[in-house]
Amino acid sequence: MTSTIDPERIRTLGNGEPDPGARFVLYWMQASQRAEHNPALEFAVQRANETGCPLVVVMVVMPDDPDASVRHLAFAVGGMQRTVRALSRRGIRSCVRVGAPADIVAELAADAVELVVDRGYLRHQRAWYRELPRRVPLRITQVEGDVVVPIDLVSDEVEYAARTIRPKIERHLDRFLVDLHTTAIEDRTTPEGTTSDVDLDTMDGASSIAEWLVDLGVPSDPGPVDGFTPGTSAARSTLRRLLERLDTYHEDRNRFADPDSTSSLSPYLHFGQISPVAVATAVRRRGGEGADAFIDELVVRRELAMNFVARHPEYDSYSALPAWARESLDEHRDDEREHVYTAAELEAGRTHDEIWNEAMRRVREEGWIHNQLRMYWGKQIVRWTNTPEHAHRTLLRLNNRHFLDGRDPNSYANVGWCFGLHDQGFAERDVIGKLRPFTTAALDRKDDIDEWRER
Ligand SMILES: Cc1cc2nc3c(=O)[nH]c(=O)nc-3n(C[C@H](O)[C@H](O)[C@H](O)COP(=O)(O)OP(=O)(O)OC[C@H]3O[C@@H](n4cnc5c(N)ncnc54)[C@H](O)[C@@H]3O)c2cc1C
């Protein structure tokens, strides 16, 4: 166990002296929504103990979170509910507020000694970290806890593919796959002026989190999904199930008809409800081919996506796709399409392809499908739309609107992958040019399609 947080995880965003009456250390818990294996939280506890103050952890429910609906926010708030309880068991005060994060954090920070934040990589998250130092004249420390290897240490350029980033990540694994020691908070008092806008146990009398969110103006469609219980305990159980069958992960991971062939950890990772370091450390301890294959997905592939969104200013645009892919798609722009569907027809799952329609139905209703099905689902949209630009916009929108793990760096990188990102050219075909094809026959080779449909 180590209580030190690697200095590469820590950046100073701002410097300034607190007002003489400042009363607490403030941690804005945003990307790392958990009370354990959270280096930003442990750093904030240590700073509170060093300054002789209590700690306040603020979590913000943002009704206009970009692209979010009740599907996403009910899961996020369900996780917060459990994190508030877990923090309370550690004697740490939390404060849940509703509104615009930077306003809320700046207001609370007026009474704080210093501010600690965690780190996300999407455009709106980066904008917060740029804005806060202008509004909060305090020492502001950012602690990066949702990647294994801090992204600035890995690479300052847009990486070409998994094979180029892999050695840059792997050389640091021993250093960053370490346990994080929990520090006890010393001052357990509750500072004035830090009450929550809502008691998450009673939800202002609403019958459910979803109802409460809709009352706040969060879009009700798509609605919540049943398949995933939010929170760190559920994430830990999901990890335990993975560890039981880890030895065969490398052989089974493409078997899309088997719901247990992969971990199903992606929603928990997306909302920061489990630490990728804790997952990778537990997996690595087991060792073996299954563990190696899993770490390649969790660390190399996932952190390649972080690299893409952090380093490419237009990560959500068609223009971010590799030049060879855009050129090839351009050459096939006027090819006759066998089928062309509107975005609405695609979303409703009204195509000639029953397998695709069934995948789309599950995306709509369950908010999650297996990786092989995501590949099939995404690749067909490229073939069935009028222009590649429209295909890219449509796929990204459907992905982020419906997947519980959508709106993630992985969303942008993997939608991009359907258009050649992080991939190589293949033999030229109509419409898709040199993009990697993914046919029904290819899907059929991975697993039994009928078995999947019956399930
Ligand atoms: C068209 C398309 C869209 C996708 N959209 C998303 C999305 O919105 N959000 C999302 O998290 N993933 C997305 N993926 C990547 C991948 O399909 C999911 O991460 C994975 O299926 C999640 O299931 P799991 O947790 O059981 O994965 P496991 O196989 O158990 O892998 C463990 C973890 O490794 C990471 N991982 C696995 N595969 C990939 C990959 N190809 N790229 C990056 N990281 C990976 C994920 O964090 C995953 O939770 C998409 C893939 C495609 C082809």
Side-chain angles (χ1 to χ4, degrees):
M1 291 285 215
T2 173
S3 56
T4 51
I5 297 160
D6 195 292
E8 285 290 342
R9 293 201 183 279
I10 301 173
R11 298 199 299 176
T12 303
L13 299 185
N15 263 310
E17 288 299 315
D19 283 346
R23 291 169 290 132
F24 52 88
V25 169
L26 181 65
Y27 163 36
W28 174 27
M29 181 183 274
Q30 198 275 321
S32 312
Q33 294 270 344
R34 55 185 183 272
E36 61 183 44
H37 296 288
N38 179 343
L41 174 64
E42 298 312 327
F43 182 87
V45 172
Q46 288 167 19
R47 289 301 301 153
N49 291 348
E50 279 159 25
T51 52
C53 292
L55 169 65
V56 174
V57 176
V58 59
M59 287 172 251
V60 180
V61 179
M62 187 172 47
D64 57 357
D65 201 344
D67 297 324
S69 76
V70 162
R71 170 159 302 176
H72 308 103
L73 294 193
F75 190 84
V77 174
M80 282 180 194
Q81 204 175 42
R82 291 153 172 90
T83 299
V84 167
R85 288 183 209 135
L87 288 170
S88 162
R89 285 194 292 275
R90 287 184 62 180
I92 298 171
R93 167 87 195 159
S94 50
C95 162
V96 179
R97 295 270 167 107
V98 178
D103 294 347
I104 289 167
V105 174
E107 188 198 318
L108 280 167
D111 291 323
V113 180
E114 62 183 72
L115 172 65
V116 178
V117 298
D118 41 41
R119 186 167 182 184
Y121 308 96
L122 297 179
R123 194 175 292 118
H124 64 280
Q125 295 171 307
R126 284 186 272 132
W128 287 327
Y129 309 135
R130 273 197 310 275
E131 184 183 348
L132 277 178
R134 290 199 290 269
R135 299 183 60 180
V136 177
L138 294 177
R139 169 171 159 163
I140 307 177
T141 311
Q142 181 170 55
V143 186
E144 189 175 12
D146 288 273
V147 286
V148 170
V149 185
I151 66 155
D152 297 332
L153 185 66
V154 172
S155 172
D156 54 11
E157 41 190 59
V158 182
E159 287 294 326
Y160 192 74
R163 73 183 147 71
T164 64
I165 204 170
R166 187 173 288 112
K168 298 180 187 179
I169 287 178
E170 285 182 345
R171 73 168 73 112
H172 298 295
L173 284 185
D174 287 343
R175 173 172 170 188
F176 290 100
L177 286 182
V178 289
D179 289 325
L180 181 66
H181 176 66
T182 303
T183 305
I185 187 82
E186 286 163 11
D187 184 340
R188 298 181 168 218
T189 54
T190 301
E192 264 173 52
T194 58
T195 46
S196 290
D197 285 348
V198 58
D199 175 351
L200 291 182
D201 283 327
T202 58
M203 305 306 308
D204 287 346
S207 66
S208 66
I209 293 176
E211 186 190 290
W212 178 72
L213 288 167
V214 171
D215 285 347
L216 289 179
V218 175
S220 58
D221 179 44
V225 290
D226 296 331
F228 291 87
T229 305
T232 301
S233 302
R236 250 192 270 116
S237 311
T238 307
L239 171 60
R240 274 198 298 275
R241 280 207 311 280
L242 167 74
L243 293 176
E244 282 164 17
R245 50 183 200 276
L246 185 65
D247 288 349
T248 54
Y249 175 85
H250 58 300
E251 291 159 356
D252 292 345
R253 55 184 282 266
N254 291 338
R255 296 195 43 225
F256 58 85
D258 174 1
D260 287 333
S261 67
T262 64
S263 70
S264 302
L265 277 169
S266 54
Y268 299 106
L269 289 161
H270 169 71
F271 288 97
Q273 294 175 0
I274 195 163
S275 148
V277 176
V279 174
T281 309
V283 164
R284 205 179 189 216
R285 228 173 256 135
R286 292 291 169 106
E289 275 184 73
D292 291 347
F294 183 83
I295 292 212
D296 203 59
E297 297 301 324
L298 173 73
V299 188
V300 175
R301 293 272 165 194
R302 182 168 177 272
E303 295 182 15
L304 176 63
M306 308 294 181
N307 166 273
F308 176 59
V309 300
R311 301 293 177 230
H312 203 304
E314 293 170 42
Y315 62 80
D316 49 353
S317 302
Y318 185 78
S319 59
L321 302 174
W324 67 262
R326 279 180 291 130
E327 278 159 25
S328 178
L329 286 166
D330 216 25
E331 280 163 23
H332 291 269
R333 189 172 286 279
D334 298 326
D335 289 1
E336 195 175 329
R337 271 80 173 146
E338 217 179 315
H339 306 277
V340 175
Y341 299 108
T342 62
E345 285 169 328
L346 289 168
E347 184 160 20
R350 280 200 303 269
T351 77
H352 65 285
D353 178 343
E354 285 306 319
I355 298 167
W356 195 92
N357 294 347
E358 177 60 16
M360 185 66 232
R361 185 186 70 75
R362 294 189 193 196
V363 172
R364 262 193 337 267
E365 293 177 10
E366 297 170 11
W368 198 91
I369 52 173
H370 187 281
N371 182 51
Q372 290 298 319
L373 291 162
R374 293 191 201 213
M375 289 162 139
Y376 181 72
W377 172 76
K379 284 282 187 182
Q380 308 320 307
I381 293 182
V382 188
R383 295 170 55 221
W384 297 341
T385 26
N386 272 329
T387 66
E389 291 84 353
H390 179 52
H392 184 259
R393 263 196 314 278
T394 303
L395 178 54
L396 197 52
R397 180 178 169 278
L398 292 178
N399 189 99
N400 285 352
R401 185 168 143 71
H402 292 284
F403 282 130
L404 186 56
D405 58 23
R407 310 173 312 128
D408 188 270
N410 272 348
S411 315
Y412 300 97
N414 280 282
V415 164
W417 175 86
C418 293
F419 296 81
L421 181 71
H422 299 150
D423 204 5
Q424 64 190 54
F426 283 74
E428 207 154 346
R429 288 173 170 76
D430 284 351
V431 184
I432 64 168
K434 293 181 186 161
L435 296 190
R436 179 192 293 264
F438 201 109
T439 59
T440 317
L443 189 66
D444 202 25
R445 280 196 295 276
K446 305 285 180 182
D447 206 355
D448 186 336
I449 295 178
D450 290 334
E451 188 189 331
W452 167 69
R453 291 176 76 179
E454 274 159 32
R455 276 177 197 246

